[in-house]
Amino acid sequence: MTSQHEEIYQKSWQERQDFAERMQPIIGQLYRNYGVEVSVYGRTLVNASAIDIIKAHKYVGIHEDTKLRLRESFPFVEALSKMELQPASIDVGKLAYRYLFQGEANELSVEQYLEKELAPLQELDKAEPKDIVLYGFGRIGRILARLLIERTGPMANLRLRAIVIRPGKDGDLEKRASLLRRDSIHGAFNGSITVDEEQGAIRANGAYIKVIYAKSPAEIDYTQYGINNALVVDNTGIWSDEDGLGQHLQSKGVSKVLLTAPAKGDIKNIVYGVNQDMILDEDTIISAASCTTNAITPVLKALNDKFGIKNGHVETVHSYTNDQNLIDNYHKSERRGRSAPLNMVITSTGAAKAVAKALPELKGLLTGNAIRVPTPNVSMAIMNLNLKETTDREALNDYLRGISLESPLREQVDYTASTEIVSTDLVGSRYAGVVDSQATIVDGDRAVLYVWYDNEFGYSCQVVKVMHKMAGVNFLNLPKA
């Protein structure tokens, strides 16, 4: 009997591997040729290994009563490859599950069902490709470069044309390319990177990226590099107000500016999924807020919509950053001069107050503080909230689980029920925040929630979404919730 069970299991596993391997080239072609990102219950299959594809299907069983097998989802992936599509995020897991187990087919074939569910794509006007310039090439700049390069193809509507950095010494270009090629946290670049020393450029997976050396925006004429009407993404953190960021608009070939940090003054701070509709065609300078603000605001919005929030405190347990010192040394800020890898460091954060810029109904209701800890990436927000309605742990967790699966916030809010998850498990998460349901505490109208977030990668994914909006790209998430 044991031998028979082993044989059945082995055949089942081989079948799953076979379908996963057959899916891989189709998913890659959909992404490169049409800009379509295929996922299963929010787990992206782009650049995924066969094992990752199998694991994504296994994830369905956590949320649904019935498993979704790869042989059941494969016909949907195959049918997508025969359709004329526009850039979008398409969840084949949800489409297949609804078709097979929730009676949405109504006697339609898989092809007819997909035509019906993906009809909104046919109503979109194709946006003109937007030239992108990354001003600064630090942690966020390089991750943004990776995310933009992986979308390189005939249907790419955000085209990374240049990066701007301060003048360096001999060998600088190769060092910059090497930092893009290898990353101690996020691993090796998925592809090929070469340097064109003569033209001062980096070639990466079909993208030809000019490297411009300049001390200020005033020195640059982008049009001489064939760059026009560009969106400049400022990753330097040097400027955060309209006067400083407005310098970019004085450069020839620039039409808009996006700051990857909180902005001062009247500049709109955008948390995608919450207030992206505030972005207007005439806006020339926008902020994508901070990683922490992006992590907590979608969850806070979901909770406020359902239960109401009277007040609360947000404590951020944040990985150390490049702003801190490796060993004790002078720093203009209090405590941050002490060795980052050796200490927990109490510091301030404006994230709680910044929530009000994206979610005005919470203005004045939240306080916040931060503790920098000796880890290089992945942070956590602990939200201690007083609600307007009483609830219990199970009801609150079920609600947030639903938000992560079937709501307009499903691209921002992820949910885990793992009892073993730790920070390194979240490296590379593409969500703004991940609710750790096992840590949730509820006592009547008081709730304590723990939200993980990859403060580098997850935040960068949010920035790319804001870039799409500023570029006039309607990147749909289908099927609709």
Side-chain angles (χ1 to χ4, degrees):
M1 183 64 73
T2 302
S3 177
Q4 185 180 10
H5 284 167
E6 288 176 354
E7 186 177 342
I8 291 170
Y9 174 74
Q10 187 178 58
K11 285 183 178 179
S12 172
W13 178 257
Q14 288 174 340
E15 179 193 72
R16 280 179 277 174
Q17 277 193 309
D18 178 60
F19 277 111
E21 289 165 358
R22 289 166 64 186
M23 282 184 186
Q24 283 177 304
I26 301 175
I27 291 165
Q29 289 163 10
L30 285 168
Y31 196 64
R32 285 194 309 275
N33 297 333
Y34 296 102
V36 169
E37 181 177 342
V38 177
S39 63
V40 170
Y41 276 62
R43 266 50 187 173
T44 182
L45 303 187
V46 175
N47 295 326
S49 66
I51 299 301
D52 288 334
I53 293 173
I54 293 170
K55 288 167 69 176
H57 281 73
K58 185 178 179 181
Y59 179 76
V60 178
I62 297 173
H63 298 286
E64 304 290 1
D65 297 330
T66 308
K67 292 180 181 179
L68 179 66
R69 296 170 175 81
L70 276 84
R71 65 172 178 266
E72 294 168 332
S73 63
F74 180 78
F76 291 81
V77 175
E78 191 174 41
L80 285 177
S81 69
K82 300 172 184 176
M83 298 175 68
E84 289 293 325
L85 300 168
Q86 291 205 56
S89 177
I90 299 178
D91 196 317
V92 293
K94 289 181 181 177
L95 286 167
Y97 194 89
R98 292 178 184 183
Y99 178 88
L100 294 167
F101 305 115
Q102 294 183 344
E104 293 195 8
N106 292 324
E107 312 250 335
L108 298 175
S109 67
V110 168
E111 291 76 13
Q112 291 170 330
Y113 176 68
L114 287 177
E115 289 285 353
K116 178 174 78 75
E117 291 295 317
L118 304 183
L121 288 179
Q122 309 307 317
E123 300 167 9
L124 296 179
D125 295 325
K126 189 178 184 312
E128 288 297 315
K130 188 78 170 177
D131 286 349
I132 303 296
V133 174
L134 296 178
Y135 197 94
F137 207 50
R139 297 298 302 154
I140 298 302
R142 293 195 295 273
I143 294 170
L144 287 174
R146 286 187 172 204
L147 289 169
L148 292 169
I149 291 166
E150 76 177 18
R151 293 176 179 271
T152 299
M155 293 291 282
N157 29 48
L158 299 178
R159 295 182 177 175
L160 178 56
R161 300 294 308 282
I163 60 173
V164 180
I165 49 182
R166 291 180 179 275
K169 298 179 181 179
D170 289 345
D172 180 86
L173 187 59
E174 179 54 51
K175 283 186 176 294
R176 301 287 181 175
S178 181
L179 284 169
L180 181 60
R181 189 181 292 120
R182 304 175 183 89
D183 193 285
S184 300
I185 295 170
H186 300 285
F189 176 79
N190 186 21
S192 171
I193 293 177
T194 56
V195 170
D196 186 337
E197 289 279 2
E198 185 177 340
Q199 297 298 319
I202 294 173
R203 294 183 294 237
N205 289 11
Y208 192 85
I209 309 160
K210 179 68 180 176
V211 180
I212 302 170
Y213 291 96
K215 293 180 180 178
S216 74
E219 299 178 21
I220 310 170
D221 176 359
Y222 292 104
T223 60
Q224 68 177 332
Y225 306 107
I227 299 171
N228 293 282
N229 196 34
L231 168 59
V232 171
V233 184
D234 190 316
N235 310 290
T236 64
I238 297 173
W239 306 289
S240 58
D241 58 15
E242 197 161 349
D243 288 341
L245 295 167
Q247 296 177 74
H248 292 296
L249 297 173
Q250 305 307 311
S251 301
K252 289 184 179 179
V254 176
S255 62
K256 295 187 177 185
V257 182
L258 175 59
L259 173 66
T260 60
K264 297 177 181 176
D266 295 328
I267 297 173
K268 296 174 182 176
N269 283 251
I270 301 299
V271 174
Y272 199 91
V274 176
N275 69 330
Q276 71 275 9
D277 290 342
M278 288 178 62
I279 301 176
L280 305 177
D281 290 342
E282 58 265 30
D283 288 329
T284 55
I285 302 176
I286 291 290
S287 160
S290 71
C291 56
T292 303
T293 305
N294 273 268
I296 64 178
T297 305
V299 178
L300 288 167
K301 174 175 170 50
L303 291 172
N304 192 55
D305 287 349
K306 175 70 172 177
F307 304 103
I309 295 174
K310 288 192 288 189
N311 52 52
H313 177 81
V314 180
E315 193 71 29
T316 305
V317 183
H318 200 292
S319 295
Y320 60 73
T321 66
N322 200 45
D323 171 67
Q324 295 171 258
N325 294 328
L326 284 174
I327 58 174
D328 291 358
N329 207 344
Y330 172 81
H331 196 293
K332 64 180 181 179
S333 298
E334 296 176 351
R335 309 194 205 217
R336 290 197 189 188
R338 303 299 297 277
S339 173
L342 296 178
N343 294 291
M344 292 191 293
V345 179
I346 296 176
T347 187
S348 61
T349 177
K353 290 183 179 178
V355 168
K357 287 195 172 184
L359 208 58
E361 53 264 45
L362 296 186
K363 184 176 182 180
L365 301 184
L366 301 172
T367 58
N369 220 350
I371 305 170
R372 295 289 179 90
V373 294
T375 56
N377 184 43
V378 180
S379 302
M380 171 182 281
I382 305 171
M383 300 189 291
N384 196 326
L385 306 172
N386 293 310
L387 306 175
K388 293 180 180 178
E389 294 183 10
T390 60
T391 184
D392 58 49
R393 182 174 182 266
E394 184 178 4
L396 191 146
N397 275 341
D398 282 349
Y399 170 68
L400 290 176
R401 175 178 158 277
I403 289 292
S404 73
L405 287 173
E406 302 289 348
S407 85
L409 292 169
R410 65 187 184 274
E411 286 190 305
Q412 284 67 49
V413 179
D414 196 12
Y415 178 96
T416 177
S418 171
T419 58
E420 299 291 340
I421 199 166
V422 294
S423 60
T424 54
D425 296 324
L426 279 301
V427 173
S429 169
R430 292 178 179 245
Y431 293 88
V434 182
V435 175
D436 191 326
S437 63
Q438 295 300 307
T440 300
I441 300 170
V442 179
D443 183 8
D445 62 353
R446 189 175 70 86
V448 182
L449 284 99
Y450 293 73
V451 178
W452 298 98
Y453 56 107
D454 184 325
N455 47 278
E456 295 182 338
F457 204 89
Y459 173 66
S460 295
C461 290
Q462 282 285 92
V463 173
V464 171
K465 290 179 173 66
V466 176
M467 291 164 66
H468 273 116
K469 183 69 174 177
M470 293 182 73
V473 177
N474 291 308
F475 196 81
L476 296 183
N477 190 327
L478 297 170
K480 291 184 176 180

